Amino acid sequence: MSDPELEWAGPEGRVLPVVTAPASVLGAVGEEVDPTDPEVVRLAADLVSTMRVSPGCVGLAAPQVGVGAQVFCVDVTGHPKAATTHGTFVLCNPKIIEASRWRPGREGCMSVPDLTGDVKRAGRIVVEAVLPGTGEPVTVATDAFEARALQHEIDHCAGKLFLDRVAGAHAIYQRKVYL
Amino acid sequence: MHELAITVIGPDRTGIVADVAEALAAVGANLTDSTMTRLRGHFAMTLICTGPTAAQAEQALEPITAAGLIATVRKVEPEADDRPTGEPYLVSVHGADRLGIVAAVTRVVAGAGGNITDLTTRLTGPLYVMVAEVDLPAGAADELAEHLAVAAAELGVDVTVRRAESEIL
Ligand SMILES: [Zn+2]
C-alpha cells in the first residue's frame, strides 16, 4: 500500500555509479541537508533512478553515490519478506524514534558486493524525517523488510555499514550468487 | 587420557571431513571440539580429540596426507574448562587492505585485557574485513573503544565496538 504523500513523484534522475567499500565516504557521517535545496531534490531523483536500474536493489543512500548527505531512497514493493510497504520514497535527515521486535536476518549491500552478514534489526520502527522538495516533515511507521531496509539506509547516512553490526565472527559470508 | 590437537589443511574437495572423521574413528578417537572452514578455497580444520596416541592418529591420517593435505598431530595437556568470565563484545574493522591491520587492532585489544575468543578476516577485492569476538574485563569497553578509534585513524580503517548480545531461550 502506497502512501500518496510519501511516494516519490519527483523528476527523473541520472543513474550514478555506486561507490564500494573501502571508499571513505561510506565511513563518514552524512551532513544534514536542506530538503528544499534543488541540489537535494536532484540527489533524491538520482538515488531513485540509480536504485531502479540496479537489479535487486531495495534502497540506496547518498554516501553510496559518493555524497556525504543524510538522504536515502527505499522501495521494497513486492519483496517476499515485506509486510507494510510505502512504495518508492525518499527521506532526508532521518531519525529512528521507536524500534522494537529485534530479529536477526541476512543482508547485503551494493557497496559491499562480495559479502553478506547476519544483522539484528528492529522488526517495527517509527522514523521521523523530511521530504525532499517540500521539506514537509513525515513520520513513517513500518515493519518487517521495509523496517530492515530503512535501518540499513539510515546507517549509511551515519557512516555505518552492515559490517559494523554483524552478529559475530561467523556472521559474515562470501556472496555466492549475485542478485 | 591422551588429548590431541590436530590440524588438516589443503586444497578443498568433497569428502575431506568424512575422510578425516572416519580415519580418526577407526583408531577410537572421540572428536570433542572442532572447527572447519574454507580460507580462500583451502580446506582448514582444527580439532581436539581424545583416545588414540599421537602416533596412532598420525598413522590413521596417512592416507589423507598422501592425498595432498597437510595434517599435524600434537599431544596437548587437557585445559581446565576456563569459560570466559568477562563481558562479550564484538569488534568490526573494515577498510582498505594494508599490512598490519590485524596486528595493530589485536594488540590494542590485548592491551585492554581483552581476550579474543573468535576471529574472522576476509579480503574481497581491495576491502579488508575483520570481525572479532572479545571477552573484556568489566568496565573496559569505553577505554578500548577510544584506543581502537586512535589505532583505526592511524590505519585508515573504520572500527566499531559493541556489546555482543546473547539471549538464552
Ligand atoms: Zn547498503
Side-chain angles (χ1 to χ4, degrees), chain B residues 135-151:
Chain B
D135 272 310
L136 278 181
D142 288 347
E143 204 181 328
L144 173 63
E146 280 171 30
H147 291 167
L148 281 176
V150 173

Side-chain angles (χ1 to χ4, degrees), chain A residues 59 64 108-111 152-153 156 161:
Chain A
Q64 296 183 273
C109 177
M110 278 184 79
S111 295
H152 180 109
E153 303 312 329
H156 274 303
L161 300 176

Side-chain angles (χ1 to χ4, degrees), chain B residues 80-126:
Chain B
D81 188 11
D82 61 339
R83 287 183 194 210
T85 50
E87 298 174 342
Y89 278 82
L90 281 162
V91 177
S92 288
V93 180
H94 53 90
D97 183 33
R98 56 168 283 178
L99 206 61
I101 294 175
V102 177
V105 171
T106 56
R107 181 56 64 199
V108 173
V109 170
N115 185 30
I116 294 173
T117 56
D118 221 321
L119 173 79
T120 294
T121 67
R122 295 279 171 195
L123 175 64
T124 62

